[in-house]
Amino acid sequence: MNREYIYEVEGLKKYFPIKTKKLFEKVKKFNRAVDGVDLRIKYNEIFGIVGESGCGKTTLARTMLKLMEPTEGKLIFDGQDITALTAKKMRPYRRNIQIIFQDPYASLNPRMTISKIIAEPMDTMKTYSNERERLGRIIELMEDCGINKAFLNRYPHELSGGQRQRIGIARALSVAPKLIVCDEPVSALDVSIQSQIINLLTELQHKHDLTLVFVSHDLGVVKYITNRVAVMYAGRIIEMTETSKLFASPMHPYTQDLLSAIPEIGKTKFSDTNGIIEENVPSRDTAFSGCSFYAHCPLATGRCNYESPQLKELAPGHYAACFNIEKRRYYQ
């Protein structure tokens, strides 16, 4: 048992059947949303999963939480294999794995008061012995998340987007989890509020010794908050390393172009890129044995068309899925 990692993902796949109009026709095609992902997340780190819309990062996060059942692969949480656990057997693990949703407007029940929303996981898990302890825990969480206790009996519609997201964070913390998945937690918020929520998450992570999995398409946010990051493309992880290394010296051609597309003062967006980034991630409804980036890669060879590269450690702690990384000096 490797105690360095709180969560390990091995060969994870999540396929969705593509339905046809014919009633009795067998399913022949699948959307390969997650297509063979390996991850190891360390205790008390903030691990980023970044990629374009449609790359499969949210599906990966929700499958890790077992909000979706994996098609194939293995999920190991805190040394225990949870892949095949039923909903009943999974219940004890739910306390230690929580989620903060993307949309603070849709993730809170409009018919429940703030106190009931925060206490709902506590009520489900029976984590208190009396009502006084329950109320004290609610107020403590509200204070930790920057919400005035005067809001206890208010409803979500009376709060702003940033305040609602703080309530979502308090709810996730209410059962003292070990790991929280943050599914684009600031993308629906005003830019002026985003930094406040990011700083709050960082403070709470240190205070409660949490592990955070931070899912985002915003490279600026990922650079600021994460310790390590995995870049996802077309359902696969194509590069993974420490955040500082990724931004200073990206290896994979896709990552290089993704980072070069970050807007800078005095530079038009995409004007200095090499033209690789496409508007849409490639279709994944048919089986393809080669590299998913083959059609757009300046380093591609014939091998890339029929064989999929696996993540390999090409520098200390720096992993990339490419057969031709040694050619990157010609690409840069």
Side-chain angles (χ1 to χ4, degrees):
M1 184 183 298
N2 193 333
R3 303 301 294 179
E4 181 182 358
Y5 301 106
I6 188 171
Y7 208 117
E8 297 174 75
V9 177
E10 299 177 5
L12 185 65
K13 296 181 180 180
K14 179 59 183 178
Y15 294 176
F16 296 98
I18 297 176
K19 297 180 181 180
T20 62
K21 294 181 180 180
K22 296 181 180 179
L23 184 60
F24 297 105
E25 185 177 358
K26 292 183 179 179
V27 175
K28 295 181 180 179
K29 290 186 177 182
F30 294 86
N31 178 1
R32 297 173 291 119
V34 178
D35 195 20
V37 165
D38 296 299
L39 287 177
R40 288 184 174 182
I41 299 167
K42 298 178 181 179
Y43 285 89
N44 302 331
E45 75 170 338
I46 304 180
F47 185 89
I49 300 175
V50 66
E52 298 175 73
S53 297
C55 71
K57 57 187 184 294
T58 292
T59 301
L60 169 61
R62 295 189 177 219
T63 306
M64 288 171 61
L65 286 160
K66 292 206 70 180
L67 297 178
M68 300 176 177
E69 289 297 321
T71 303
E72 190 178 307
K74 186 179 288 188
L75 303 172
I76 301 172
F77 174 73
D78 206 15
Q80 300 296 316
D81 188 343
I82 62 171
T83 314
L85 293 184
T86 62
K88 184 177 181 180
K89 291 183 177 180
M90 186 67 195
R91 188 183 177 98
Y93 294 94
R94 295 290 182 199
R95 177 174 179 176
N96 287 316
I97 310 174
Q98 292 292 307
I99 184 171
I100 300 168
F101 293 99
Q102 176 179 1
D103 188 353
Y105 295 92
S107 60
L108 305 182
N109 189 331
R111 295 182 177 86
M112 295 174 66
T113 63
I114 300 309
S115 62
K116 289 183 179 179
I117 289 171
I118 295 174
E120 187 176 19
M122 297 161 54
D123 295 339
T124 302
M125 300 292 178
K126 306 297 181 186
T127 61
Y128 55 86
S129 55
N130 55 58
E131 286 299 315
R132 183 176 180 179
E133 182 182 344
R134 178 180 181 271
L135 179 59
R137 177 63 175 160
I138 294 170
I139 294 173
E140 179 187 0
L141 288 164
M142 292 179 71
E143 290 175 348
D144 277 356
C145 294
I147 297 291
N148 194 304
K149 65 180 181 181
F151 287 16
L152 267 172
N153 295 313
R154 293 192 182 184
Y155 290 86
H157 74 270
E158 300 178 79
L159 278 62
S160 67
Q163 290 171 330
R164 293 185 193 197
Q165 195 61 294
R166 289 172 185 270
I167 296 302
I169 294 170
R171 178 177 59 185
L173 286 171
S174 65
V175 287
K178 294 180 179 180
L179 181 145
I180 297 179
V181 173
C182 308
D183 184 12
E184 304 229 31
V186 298
S187 64
L189 303 176
D190 292 340
V191 175
S192 59
I193 305 300
Q194 289 183 5
S195 61
Q196 297 176 21
I197 299 299
I198 291 167
N199 289 333
L200 174 63
L201 288 170
T202 305
E203 292 169 8
L204 293 171
Q205 189 261 340
H206 288 295
K207 181 176 181 178
H208 297 282
D209 294 325
L210 291 168
T211 300
L212 300 183
V213 177
F214 195 90
V215 180
S216 181
H217 66 275
D218 191 323
L219 292 164
V221 172
V222 168
K223 183 179 181 180
Y224 178 79
I225 194 174
T226 63
N227 307 120
R228 288 193 304 138
V229 61
V231 180
M232 198 166 184
Y233 181 80
R236 298 174 181 174
I237 300 296
I238 54 96
E239 188 163 358
M240 181 170 60
T241 187
E242 294 175 12
T243 305
S244 58
K245 289 182 179 179
L246 185 86
F247 282 84
S249 183
M251 285 188 173
H252 198 282
Y254 171 72
T255 308
Q256 292 181 352
D257 242 43
L258 192 65
L259 296 182
S260 70
I262 300 175
E264 295 178 8
I265 295 175
K267 167 181 159 181
T268 302
K269 190 175 183 181
F270 301 121
S271 63
D272 295 333
T273 70
N274 292 293
I276 290 177
I277 294 179
E278 300 293 315
E279 291 184 359
N280 298 304
V281 174
S283 172
R284 285 167 277 163
D285 60 358
T286 56
F288 178 60
S289 58
C291 175
S292 56
F293 196 56
Y294 170 76
H296 312 299
C297 184
L299 307 182
T301 62
R303 179 186 183 187
C304 306
N305 191 32
Y306 62 84
E307 185 179 349
S308 178
Q310 302 301 308
L311 273 180
K312 290 185 178 180
E313 190 173 16
L314 302 178
H318 200 148
Y319 299 81
C322 182
F323 297 123
N324 305 303
I325 288 295
E326 66 275 8
K327 295 180 182 180
R328 64 190 167 98
R329 62 182 179 275
Y330 300 114
Y331 172 67
Q332 292 175 323

